[in-house]
Amino acid sequence: MTSRINQPTLSRRAALAAAGTLGALGITVSAAGAGKAAPGAKAPKPTLAFRPDGKFKVVQFNDTQDDEQTDRRTIELMDRTLDAEKPDFVVINGDVINGGCDTELDVKQALNHVVKPMESRKIPWAVTFGNHDEDSAQRTGMTEAKMLQFLQSYAYNVNADSVPGLTGTSNSQLLVQSSRSKDPAFGLWLIDTGRYAPDAINGQNFEGYPDWDWVRMDQVTWYRNQSIATEQKYGTKIPSLMWGHIALHEHRNMWFASIDSRTDADHARAVAKHSIVGERNEDECPGPFNSGLFNAFLERGDVRGYFVGHDHVNTYVGDYYGVQLGYGPGTGFGAYGLDGAERNRSVGPASSNWTRTTPASTRTPGSSSRRTSAST
């Protein structure tokens, strides 16, 4: 895959392309839930563990982003990816649905479509929430909290409960058992990057600034405290990956190896410095403030990669001071893609293989968008 910088800039405000009637799914689900648990109950959570050969594979889907008439091609892509990759865990990294649903049942049907590929294969899975998941909440009443309750009723969902008083929905730390014991050998973090910036702070609006949300300081503190507590409990730092929907400011800094300058020469230098592969087909869209989350990664030294979506046609990954920063592309065929004849070229999943080489260490994975696989 080649790296490209001079691509047409696509607007984040671009309208979503409507799925054609013949290409849409319309499977009806029960309003009470679709998992194996009783209505409203949480299903027992499956155990995440390395395989007997010491390997663990994760597949990431981003921005499936459709309503209850889900584009069939999205589900077919997910089905084929899961059959080919046979992952141990799947994350749908935000914008699971869009604002096109009109009723509670519509939302549940839309969610059901995109989680059934994992449920039918008995693959543990989880979601992060993105900026669009609550777009229909005023009509449907389905807030992220209610969506989480519905999703947790599925047999193979592993989303954690929301922490009272903590910003965001279902910020989660998931531990993966070693193939040789029940001790954790790896960690999977999910963080809610929010939706949109508030209208104003201290009487000042965000005109001229990005108006997306950002990881709040209490979430950074939560990650840091959880990381410290886990190290104290098990006597070692647990190497981990984290997923969140919206990119960090460091994604853009890495692409140009600069904060202020954004030239082809800057990017050429960045490719060599940060081992960047993949494409940048639109501007990164972080929130107006740098959250400090990356700084916490550097301090703690356990998160080896942070992977995002949100910007559907970016498919790059690089090594930014020891932490892999990467994009998974949009998976949904009903959401925006590239321009013209190349519209669906960037649609796809991302995957990473991990291998336990020693009880306490593992190398950083190679990972990029579309379908990239690397073992350690």
Side-chain angles (χ1 to χ4, degrees):
M1 184 183 299
T2 58
S3 300
R4 297 194 287 181
I5 185 171
N6 295 321
Q7 295 292 321
T9 299
L10 301 180
S11 171
R12 289 290 309 176
R13 299 295 188 186
L16 300 177
T21 302
L22 294 178
L25 290 172
I27 302 169
T28 302
V29 300
S30 165
K36 295 180 181 179
K42 296 175 187 175
K45 298 304 178 188
T47 299
L48 299 176
F50 279 81
R51 303 173 191 174
D53 64 0
K55 294 181 179 180
F56 189 86
K57 179 180 285 190
V58 178
V59 161
Q60 171 186 345
F61 296 117
N62 282 327
D63 301 274
T64 51
Q65 201 168 326
D66 214 335
D67 58 21
E68 73 279 5
Q69 296 295 321
T70 308
D71 193 308
R72 288 183 180 275
R73 294 172 295 176
T74 300
I75 308 305
E76 289 170 358
L77 172 62
M78 295 177 72
D79 284 335
R80 292 180 183 182
T81 299
L82 297 178
D83 289 341
E85 299 290 342
K86 295 180 172 54
D88 302 287
F89 175 71
V90 173
V91 56
I92 304 179
N93 196 19
D95 285 1
V96 187
I97 62 173
N98 66 18
C101 298
D102 293 316
T103 67
E104 177 182 328
L105 182 59
D106 286 348
V107 172
K108 290 180 175 180
Q109 181 169 302
L111 295 172
N112 183 67
H113 286 162
V114 296
V115 305
K116 288 300 285 184
M118 288 78 75
E119 282 291 305
S120 64
R121 291 165 176 81
K122 301 181 179 180
I123 301 170
W125 58 273
V127 305
T128 68
F129 288 99
N131 53 291
H132 285 301
D133 287 307
E134 276 191 345
D135 280 356
S136 64
Q138 287 190 333
R139 297 192 306 277
T140 67
M142 287 293 283
T143 61
E144 287 179 359
K146 290 184 178 180
M147 283 186 265
L148 175 64
Q149 183 179 25
F150 174 70
L151 294 170
Q152 287 180 323
S153 72
Y154 284 85
Y156 293 93
N157 175 264
V158 294
N159 273 94
D161 292 340
S162 295
V163 178
L166 178 64
T167 300
T169 303
S170 190
N171 297 292
S172 304
Q173 180 193 24
L174 308 172
L175 297 177
V176 184
Q177 290 182 1
S178 168
S179 59
R180 296 185 289 270
S181 72
K182 293 186 178 181
D183 290 337
F186 204 76
L188 310 170
W189 298 82
L190 309 175
I191 196 131
D192 184 353
T193 58
R195 302 185 69 236
Y196 304 100
D199 291 337
I201 294 179
N202 293 326
Q204 300 177 14
N205 64 30
F206 286 93
E207 182 179 358
Y209 293 93
D211 60 356
W212 312 108
D213 215 334
W214 63 94
V215 175
R216 302 306 175 95
M217 186 52 63
D218 64 333
Q219 294 172 282
V220 177
T221 301
W222 167 81
Y223 151 68
R224 186 175 180 275
N225 289 342
Q226 285 287 108
S227 171
I228 292 171
T230 303
E231 181 182 9
Q232 291 174 342
K233 180 175 181 178
Y234 296 105
T236 185
K237 291 183 180 180
I238 306 298
S240 305
L241 300 178
M242 183 181 287
W243 285 266
H245 183 65
I246 296 176
L248 303 177
H249 283 260
E250 284 83 1
H251 281 80
R252 180 181 294 165
N253 298 348
M254 179 183 73
W255 182 266
F256 292 105
S258 174
I259 293 177
D260 299 318
S261 182
R262 302 179 188 177
T263 68
D264 289 354
D266 293 324
H267 175 60
R269 178 168 49 86
V271 168
K273 182 174 183 176
H274 298 304
S275 302
I276 298 172
V277 296
E279 299 179 12
R280 179 182 185 267
N281 293 305
E282 64 174 313
D283 286 344
E284 298 84 356
C285 294
F289 303 125
N290 190 317
S291 65
L293 183 61
F294 185 84
N295 196 24
F297 295 161
L298 292 183
E299 183 212 5
R300 289 300 305 145
D302 53 359
V303 170
R304 307 295 182 82
Y306 178 73
F307 302 101
V308 302
H310 189 51
D311 308 318
H312 300 190
V313 293
N314 287 342
T315 67
Y316 67 80
V317 66
D319 180 344
Y320 192 66
Y321 298 99
V323 179
Q324 296 276 320
L325 297 181
Y327 269 97
T331 302
F333 282 83
Y336 78 82
L338 292 168
D339 284 339
E342 289 199 317
R343 183 188 185 283
N344 295 325
R345 178 175 61 78
S346 67
V347 176
S351 70
S352 293
N353 287 322
W354 284 82
T355 303
R356 271 320 273 179
T357 53
T358 67
S361 67
T362 184
R363 295 191 298 274
T364 304
S367 176
S368 75
S369 308
R370 304 190 73 181
R371 186 180 302 168
T372 312
S373 183
S375 59
T376 58

